[in-house]
Amino acid sequence: MSILVLAEHHNGQLAAGTAHVVGAARAIGGDIDLLVAGENVGGVAEAAARLDGVARVRVADNPAYAHQLPEPLADLLVALADEYSHVLAAASTEGKNVLPRLAALKDVSQISEILGVESADTFTRPIYAGNAIATVQSSDPLKVITVRTTAFDAVSEGGAASIEALDYIADSARSRFIGEELAQSERPELGGARVVISGGRGMGNGDNFKLLDGIADKLGAAVGASRAAVDAGFVPNDMQVGQTGKIVAPDLYIAVGISGAIQHLAGMKDSKVIVAINKDDDAPIFQVADYGLVGDLFEILPELEQKL
Amino acid sequence: MKVLVAVKRVIDYNVKIRVKADHSDVDLTNVKMAMNPFCEIAVEEAVRLKEKGVASEIVAVTVGPKAAQEQLRTALALGADRAIHVETDERVESLTVAKLLKGVVDEEKPDLVILGKQAIDTDNNQTGQMLAALTDMGQGTFASEVAFGEGVEAGEVRVTREIDGGLQTVALKLPAVVTTDLRLNEPRYAKLPDIMKAKKKPLETKTPEALGVAVSSGLTLLKVETPAERKGGVKVGSVDELIDKLKNEAKVL
């Protein structure tokens, strides 16, 4: 068995999720190669070669792959796929964008966002926004898989894989990169944050979300919101945590003024520790919270910020 | 310009699902069903393109059992001109759906295909990408903006995409596939007169056989289980106690 892992990188840096995907590949077993595709990615390839368990780093350094557009990237993966039994990528927006395209071109199914490896062909994955766990078995000759990175430990560094250049250049006539607008926030991105603090309808209005900012800054946390808070217009919907928003699994999730509807729980109930701050003693959120504090958030939040 | 919109019938997002006692699947009997929320956004975007004069015709399509015609009628009430139902009672994987949709694309030759980024039942997030691959089209996934006209070259669509670190904008050569993210728009509600009118709009039924697609899958669903229940914890009396517990008991601070 041999496994190809699509390495993810941004601004010349190997993305942290890649080490978790290699962790999933090790759980499957077999030789592990990493594919680094992009423009001027020498540094990324060197970082990738240090990941434990990686046998070989294959590098496609060409302007055609500059912005990770899925059309050329999938064509490149198709050109390599016959050498492998499995192709893995993180279930990030990038992995989700590219891998189904590869799967269709190879006429195989894709297994999305695996949580566990039962064997080389059998995997567990969440369905219905994590409210059920499905075990699926693939009989396809090629297993195309995206990995929920929070479900697998990252491999450590210390490896010394060989680095090999690829000269395959894919045609990219179907799409063009125009531009990028990356969030300039000092705060971590919601999906990958170690700590998340979210506000719900109980915040009352958008201005009051500022009460969360100071705490978020002190904890290095990302700020999220419930659908109720988004629907009420308090915050934009890219902050929404839940079934139709983002799914998060941080070490610490602090839910403030959030009742805990199924829809919201679906997006955060895999967090390691959940804290609920709510004035309603009967709010369903307390049924899943490890630590609950009943009281007025307008008194509790400033006190919490000050004491942290 | 002709726009094809794919919609899916799924369990209503507010429903608390039940896993069947034999762990074969989720129990769908007597459960409220609805149009997948991301598909609603796809229909809304198509209707807005028509209102702007960009789209001339909207064709809604679904793959699924007879009852899925309800969701096609909803799409018609929201502004689609006609509908195509690819009827099958089988469990269909994303790859099969993409192949069936390719069959419809080959017949209808739309300039733009809009799908939701994922269905909230299987949570696959695959069909749009697979359809784009099979039809050799460019793909604009997780779209938060779809633009034609000023600043956009003829024969292209400009798509702003939600990516992990922010937003990315790409231009796709038409025909192209776009999948919708939550931020794209706010879907409207169907009005009663439109629901009545939708009953008279054309709805054509096709079979997978007629489209030359075998409903098969490389995946076998072995079992479906309820995830480990989360136990409620303790209530603390003060902020000091909370910080103390987080530091010394949970060790997350």
Coordinates of all heavy atoms in Angstrom, one line a residue, chain A residues 123-161:
Chain A
F123 N -13.7 3.2 7.2 CA -13.4 4.5 7.9 C -14.7 4.9 8.6 O -15.8 4.6 8.2 CB -13.0 5.6 6.9 CG -11.8 5.1 6.1 CD1 -12.0 4.5 4.9 CD2 -10.5 5.3 6.6 CE1 -10.9 4.0 4.1 CE2 -9.4 4.9 5.8 CZ -9.7 4.2 4.6
T124 N -14.6 5.8 9.7 CA -15.7 6.4 10.3 C -15.8 7.8 9.9 O -14.8 8.5 9.8 CB -15.7 6.2 11.8 OG1 -14.5 6.8 12.3 CG2 -15.9 4.8 12.3
R125 N -17.0 8.3 9.8 CA -17.2 9.7 9.4 C -18.5 10.3 10.0 O -19.4 9.5 10.1 CB -17.1 9.9 7.9 CG -18.1 9.2 7.1 CD -18.0 9.6 5.6 NE -18.2 11.0 5.5 CZ -19.3 11.6 5.2 NH1 -20.4 11.0 5.0 NH2 -19.4 12.9 5.1
P126 N -18.6 11.5 10.3 CA -19.8 12.1 10.8 C -20.8 12.4 9.7 O -20.4 12.8 8.6 CB -19.3 13.4 11.4 CG -18.1 13.8 10.6 CD -17.5 12.6 10.1
I127 N -22.1 12.1 10.0 CA -23.1 12.5 9.0 C -24.2 13.3 9.9 O -24.1 13.3 11.1 CB -23.8 11.3 8.3 CG1 -24.3 10.3 9.3 CG2 -22.8 10.7 7.3 CD1 -25.0 9.1 8.6
Y128 N -25.1 14.0 9.2 CA -26.1 14.8 9.9 C -25.4 15.7 10.9 O -25.7 15.7 12.1 CB -27.1 13.9 10.6 CG -28.0 13.2 9.6 CD1 -27.6 11.9 9.1 CD2 -29.2 13.7 9.1 CE1 -28.4 11.2 8.1 CE2 -29.9 13.0 8.1 CZ -29.5 11.8 7.7 OH -30.3 11.1 6.7
A129 N -24.4 16.4 10.4 CA -23.7 17.4 11.2 C -23.2 16.8 12.6 O -23.2 17.4 13.6 CB -24.5 18.6 11.5
G130 N -22.7 15.6 12.5 CA -22.1 15.0 13.7 C -23.1 14.3 14.6 O -22.7 13.8 15.7
N131 N -24.4 14.3 14.2 CA -25.4 13.7 15.1 C -25.4 12.2 14.9 O -26.2 11.5 15.6 CB -26.7 14.3 14.9 CG -26.7 15.7 15.5 OD1 -26.4 15.9 16.7 ND2 -27.1 16.7 14.7
A132 N -24.7 11.7 13.9 CA -24.6 10.2 13.7 C -23.2 10.0 13.1 O -22.6 10.8 12.5 CB -25.7 9.7 12.8
I133 N -22.7 8.8 13.5 CA -21.3 8.4 12.9 C -21.5 7.2 12.0 O -22.1 6.2 12.5 CB -20.4 8.1 14.1 CG1 -20.3 9.2 15.1 CG2 -19.0 7.7 13.5 CD1 -19.7 10.5 14.7
A134 N -21.1 7.4 10.8 CA -21.3 6.3 9.8 C -19.9 5.5 9.7 O -18.9 6.2 9.7 CB -21.7 6.8 8.5
T135 N -20.0 4.2 9.6 CA -18.8 3.4 9.2 C -19.0 3.0 7.8 O -20.0 2.4 7.4 CB -18.7 2.2 10.1 OG1 -18.7 2.6 11.5 CG2 -17.4 1.5 9.9
V136 N -18.1 3.4 6.9 CA -18.2 3.1 5.5 C -17.0 2.3 5.0 O -15.9 2.5 5.5 CB -18.3 4.3 4.6 CG1 -19.7 5.0 4.9 CG2 -17.2 5.3 4.9
Q137 N -17.3 1.4 4.1 CA -16.2 0.5 3.5 C -16.1 0.8 2.0 O -17.2 0.9 1.4 CB -16.5 -0.9 3.8 CG -15.4 -1.9 3.3 CD -15.7 -3.3 3.8 OE1 -16.9 -3.7 3.8 NE2 -14.7 -4.0 4.1
S138 N -14.9 1.0 1.6 CA -14.7 1.3 0.1 C -14.2 0.1 -0.6 O -13.2 -0.5 -0.2 CB -13.8 2.5 0.0 OG -13.3 2.6 -1.4
S139 N -14.8 -0.2 -1.7 CA -14.3 -1.3 -2.6 C -13.6 -0.7 -3.8 O -13.1 -1.5 -4.7 CB -15.4 -2.2 -3.0 OG -16.4 -1.5 -3.7
D140 N -13.5 0.6 -3.8 CA -12.8 1.2 -5.0 C -11.3 0.9 -5.0 O -10.7 0.8 -3.9 CB -13.0 2.8 -4.9 CG -14.4 3.2 -5.3 OD1 -15.0 2.5 -6.3 OD2 -15.0 4.1 -4.7
P141 N -10.7 0.8 -6.1 CA -9.3 0.6 -6.2 C -8.4 1.7 -5.6 O -7.3 1.5 -5.1 CB -9.0 0.4 -7.7 CG -10.1 1.1 -8.4 CD -11.3 0.9 -7.5
L142 N -9.0 2.9 -5.7 CA -8.3 4.1 -5.2 C -9.2 4.7 -4.1 O -10.4 5.0 -4.4 CB -8.0 5.1 -6.3 CG -7.4 6.5 -5.8 CD1 -5.9 6.3 -5.4 CD2 -7.5 7.5 -6.9
K143 N -8.6 4.9 -2.9 CA -9.4 5.5 -1.8 C -9.1 7.0 -1.8 O -7.9 7.4 -1.5 CB -9.1 4.9 -0.5 CG -9.9 3.7 -0.2 CD -9.4 2.5 -0.8 CE -10.0 1.2 -0.3 NZ -9.8 0.1 -1.3
V144 N -10.0 7.9 -2.1 CA -9.8 9.3 -2.0 C -10.5 9.8 -0.7 O -11.7 9.6 -0.6 CB -10.4 10.0 -3.3 CG1 -10.2 11.5 -3.2 CG2 -9.7 9.4 -4.5
I145 N -9.7 10.4 0.1 CA -10.2 10.7 1.5 C -9.8 12.1 2.0 O -8.7 12.5 1.8 CB -9.6 9.6 2.5 CG1 -10.1 8.2 2.1 CG2 -9.9 10.0 3.9 CD1 -9.2 7.1 2.8
T146 N -10.8 12.8 2.6 CA -10.4 14.0 3.3 C -10.5 13.7 4.8 O -11.3 12.8 5.2 CB -11.3 15.2 3.0 OG1 -12.6 14.9 3.3 CG2 -11.2 15.6 1.5
V147 N -9.7 14.3 5.6 CA -9.4 14.0 7.0 C -9.8 15.2 7.9 O -9.4 16.3 7.6 CB -7.9 13.7 7.2 CG1 -7.6 13.4 8.7 CG2 -7.5 12.5 6.3
R148 N -10.7 14.9 8.9 CA -10.9 15.9 9.9 C -9.7 16.0 10.8 O -9.4 15.1 11.5 CB -12.2 15.6 10.7 CG -12.5 16.7 11.7 CD -13.8 16.6 12.4 NE -14.9 16.9 11.6 CZ -16.1 17.0 12.0 NH1 -16.4 16.8 13.3 NH2 -17.1 17.4 11.2
T149 N -9.0 17.1 10.6 CA -7.7 17.2 11.3 C -7.7 17.1 12.8 O -6.8 16.6 13.4 CB -6.9 18.4 10.8 OG1 -7.7 19.6 11.0 CG2 -6.5 18.3 9.3
T150 N -8.8 17.6 13.4 CA -8.9 17.7 14.8 C -9.1 16.2 15.4 O -8.9 16.0 16.6 CB -10.1 18.5 15.3 OG1 -11.3 18.1 14.6 CG2 -9.8 20.0 15.1
A151 N -9.4 15.3 14.5 CA -9.6 13.9 15.0 C -8.3 13.1 15.0 O -8.3 11.9 15.5 CB -10.7 13.2 14.1
F152 N -7.2 13.6 14.5 CA -6.0 12.8 14.4 C -4.8 13.6 15.0 O -4.8 14.9 14.8 CB -5.6 12.4 13.0 CG -6.6 11.4 12.4 CD1 -7.7 11.9 11.7 CD2 -6.4 10.1 12.5 CE1 -8.7 11.0 11.2 CE2 -7.3 9.1 11.9 CZ -8.4 9.6 11.3
D153 N -3.9 13.0 15.7 CA -2.8 13.7 16.2 C -1.8 14.0 15.1 O -1.7 13.2 14.2 CB -2.1 12.8 17.3 CG -2.9 12.7 18.6 OD1 -3.7 13.6 18.8 OD2 -2.8 11.7 19.3
A154 N -1.1 15.1 15.3 CA -0.1 15.5 14.3 C 1.1 14.6 14.5 O 1.4 14.2 15.7 CB 0.3 16.9 14.5
V155 N 1.8 14.3 13.4 CA 3.1 13.6 13.6 C 4.2 14.6 14.0 O 4.0 15.8 13.7 CB 3.6 12.8 12.3 CG1 2.6 11.7 12.0 CG2 3.7 13.8 11.2
S156 N 5.2 14.2 14.7 CA 6.2 15.1 15.1 C 7.2 15.4 14.0 O 7.1 14.7 12.9 CB 6.9 14.6 16.3 OG 7.3 13.3 16.1
E157 N 8.2 16.2 14.2 CA 9.2 16.5 13.2 C 10.4 15.7 13.6 O 10.6 15.2 14.7 CB 9.5 18.0 13.1 CG 8.4 18.8 12.6 CD 8.8 20.2 12.2 OE1 10.0 20.5 12.3 OE2 7.9 20.9 11.7
G158 N 11.3 15.5 12.6 CA 12.5 14.7 12.9 C 12.8 13.7 11.8 O 13.8 13.0 11.8
G159 N 11.9 13.7 10.8 CA 12.1 12.8 9.7 C 13.1 13.5 8.7 O 13.5 14.6 8.8
A160 N 13.5 12.7 7.7 CA 14.4 13.2 6.7 C 14.0 12.5 5.3 O 14.7 11.7 4.9 CB 15.8 13.0 7.0
A161 N 12.9 12.9 4.8 CA 12.4 12.3 3.6 C 13.2 12.8 2.4 O 13.7 13.9 2.4 CB 10.9 12.6 3.4

